[in-house]
Amino acid sequence: MKNKKNELNFKNLFTKWYFLLIIIFLVIVLFFVFISEFHIQDYFLKGTFDIGSKTFIKLNVPGGESTSDTILINNNGRGDEFAISFLGLDNIASVNENNFYIESGGSKQITLNFKDFSSASGINLGWLIIKSSSSEKEIPVIIGIENKEAVFAITQTPIPNYLNVFPNGKIGIDIKFSNLKDLDIHNVKATYLIKDFDNNIYFSETEDFSIKDSLSAAKIFDLPKSVEKGNYIFITTAESDSSESF
């Protein structure tokens, strides 16, 4: 009698597990059907996009003239609405299309237009903002408005030992000033700046010297404690004969 009872309990237990496994199997099948039918995978990828290897935009614009660049936006999620605009460069930069739709797996090339309206030379900093429904990218933008009357060309090259810059550390730059106009000796006031892309100044230093044809100098500066991890630019300008070069 006891053996029959044990056998009956075993059969009942086996039957319960058998039906439980069938239910689990059906749930799994229905789940994958649901994913396939309603594209749940696209839902989780909604808003994801990339712009390839482009990490910043840097262009020079001759004073009073214009130039352009392009950026390619790749939509890695489902079809989505996108918006693109500039921040901090309203009087210089514009795009050919501010709002647009990119289908799943599709791409869109946008033209970025830059025009100097004021003929005021200098370095202009800002951001290119790209937004989808759930994601956003900010790309640093550097636009130099060239002074056609500039006396000097200035080149900056990071010193190898200072390629990696850390908060509270040092920055090292090889700077070369080349006379573009003549062989005369010019008195120069050089200004060195560290700015962020919201145009906040974190470091400023000036230096006076004379240049005939060219001058090279290795400059090493201590970063202020206020400089945190982020995007910054080191700028050198040279004032001479009522003309500014950068």
Side-chain angles (χ1 to χ4, degrees), residues 71 73 82-85 95 97-98 100 110 112 128-130:
I71 190 166
I73 303 171
F82 288 80
I84 184 169
S85 61
V95 296
E97 196 172 354
N98 290 99
F100 45 87
I110 298 296
L112 313 175
L128 178 65
I129 312 295
I130 305 174

Side-chain angles (χ1 to χ4, degrees), residues 34 91 116 170 185 187 242 245:
F34 186 73
N91 297 325
D116 172 38
K170 295 178 182 292
I185 296 175
N187 295 320
S242 301
S245 310

Side-chain angles (χ1 to χ4, degrees):
M1 188 74 176
K2 187 174 181 180
N3 289 338
K4 288 184 177 180
K5 187 174 182 180
N6 289 338
E7 184 179 347
L8 184 60
N9 288 337
F10 176 77
K11 288 182 177 179
N12 289 336
L13 183 62
F14 176 80
T15 301
K16 289 179 181 178
W17 277 106
Y18 177 76
F19 280 111
L20 181 60
L21 289 173
I22 291 176
I23 291 172
I24 292 173
F25 175 77
L26 291 174
V27 168
I28 293 173
V29 171
L30 289 173
F31 176 75
F32 281 105
V33 170
F34 186 73
I35 286 178
S36 175
E37 193 68 28
F38 293 96
H39 305 288
I40 296 300
Q41 66 273 26
D42 285 348
Y43 175 80
F44 290 113
L45 289 174
K46 180 181 179 182
T48 62
F49 66 92
D50 69 74
I51 53 171
S53 59
K54 206 158 198 171
T55 56
F56 68 93
I57 296 167
K58 182 180 179 182
L59 290 172
N60 286 332
V61 181
E65 298 183 22
S66 62
T67 189
S68 64
D69 195 5
T70 59
I71 190 166
L72 186 67
I73 303 171
N74 305 303
N75 185 9
N76 303 316
R78 72 177 187 181
D80 206 354
E81 296 287 342
F82 288 80
I84 184 169
S85 61
F86 283 100
L87 178 63
L89 295 163
D90 296 339
N91 297 325
I92 299 173
S94 63
V95 296
N96 67 325
E97 196 172 354
N98 290 99
N99 299 280
F100 45 87
Y101 179 87
I102 305 178
E103 63 183 13
S104 177
S107 300
K108 177 81 172 180
Q109 182 169 281
I110 298 296
T111 300
L112 313 175
N113 300 305
F114 304 95
K115 184 175 178 62
D116 172 38
F117 291 98
S118 63
S119 296
S121 63
I123 302 293
N124 298 271
L125 306 175
W127 301 92
L128 178 65
I129 312 295
I130 305 174
K131 295 180 180 181
S132 68
S133 59
S134 61
S135 185
E136 178 177 323
K137 294 186 186 298
E138 297 181 346
I139 305 164
V141 182
I142 307 166
I143 303 299
I145 304 300
E146 297 177 347
N147 181 0
K148 295 179 180 179
E149 302 301 321
V151 177
F152 297 98
I154 302 172
T155 56
Q156 300 181 154
T157 306
I159 297 174
N161 290 342
Y162 297 91
L163 285 176
N164 297 315
V165 182
F166 301 96
N168 251 350
K170 295 178 182 292
I171 182 170
I173 305 288
D174 279 320
I175 304 171
K176 183 176 181 180
F177 303 85
S178 300
N179 189 341
L180 300 174
K181 293 291 185 182
D182 50 44
L183 296 177
D184 296 338
I185 296 175
H186 296 268
N187 295 320
V188 176
K189 180 180 181 180
T191 301
Y192 311 107
L193 299 169
I194 295 176
K195 301 175 71 174
D196 65 16
F197 283 81
D198 294 317
N199 282 293
N200 298 306
I201 297 174
Y202 291 83
F203 174 86
S204 178
E205 185 175 300
T206 60
E207 182 180 19
D208 296 314
F209 47 78
S210 297
I211 303 176
K212 185 177 181 181
D213 50 1
S214 67
L215 175 69
S216 296
K219 309 296 293 186
I220 298 174
F221 304 100
D222 293 317
L223 290 177
K225 293 182 179 179
S226 58
V227 175
E228 300 178 349
K229 186 177 180 181
N231 295 295
Y232 300 88
I233 182 172
F234 183 89
I235 300 172
T236 301
T237 64
E239 293 182 39
S240 177
D241 303 330
S242 301
S243 175
E244 185 177 43
S245 310
F246 62 89

